[in-house]
Amino acid sequence: MSITAPIPFWQSTAILVVRLIFAGVFAMAASFKFLGMEGTAGDIASAGFPFPLLLAWLAALFDTALVICFLSGAFFSEASLLAAPGNSAGPRTSSGAPKSRTSVSPWQQFQAANGSSVPVHSSHVMRRRPRRA
């Protein structure tokens, strides 16, 4: 049997604020896509993808689904994994990994969202001093 400690008020408040910020960012992205669907489709077509209008609608619906997940808390871990910055475009190494040293992989973000004891980034690890005898 496992007994869990209650989450401190400041921590639950911080989580709520971050969820609202992410929901706002994705709501803004979805509204821009819905209001300028032809421009979004044009951007997708200029990247060389087929069916640009269909992909633009799917992207707008995906952003809307992320907003619903962040605001309701339903499928929050999965939504965080799908919205991970490790999936974004940008400079990559020859192996395909992002060049940024501070990027968080989707797996690390999934672990953090599920309360894993594994640190998200090695710089966040607190090092203990050895005890003196």
Side-chain angles (χ1 to χ4, degrees):
M1 185 180 293
S2 172
I3 299 175
T4 58
I7 297 175
F9 177 74
W10 67 269
Q11 190 175 9
S12 59
T13 303
I15 291 170
L16 179 63
V17 167
V18 169
R19 284 175 55 185
L20 290 174
I21 289 170
F22 279 127
V25 167
F26 282 105
M28 190 170 55
S31 67
F32 289 151
K33 285 181 180 105
F34 282 123
L35 293 174
M37 191 59 70
E38 293 301 323
T40 304
D43 292 340
I44 292 172
S46 68
F49 289 104
F51 311 112
L53 190 58
L54 174 67
L55 292 176
W57 275 101
L58 290 175
L61 293 174
F62 177 73
D63 285 346
T64 304
L66 286 175
V67 170
I68 293 169
C69 289
F70 284 136
L71 290 178
S72 69
F75 304 107
F76 180 73
S77 298
E78 293 83 358
S80 297
L81 180 64
L82 292 174
N87 295 334
S88 64
R92 303 271 177 177
T93 62
S94 60
S95 66
K99 282 188 177 180
S100 173
R101 301 183 100 190
T102 60
S103 66
V104 177
S105 73
W107 175 246
Q108 290 171 326
Q109 188 171 4
F110 183 76
Q111 287 176 325
N114 286 317
S116 174
S117 61
V118 178
V120 173
H121 194 272
S122 61
S123 65
H124 296 133
V125 177
M126 295 181 63
R127 307 207 187 277
R128 289 188 173 189
R129 295 181 191 169
R131 291 186 183 182
R132 294 184 182 174

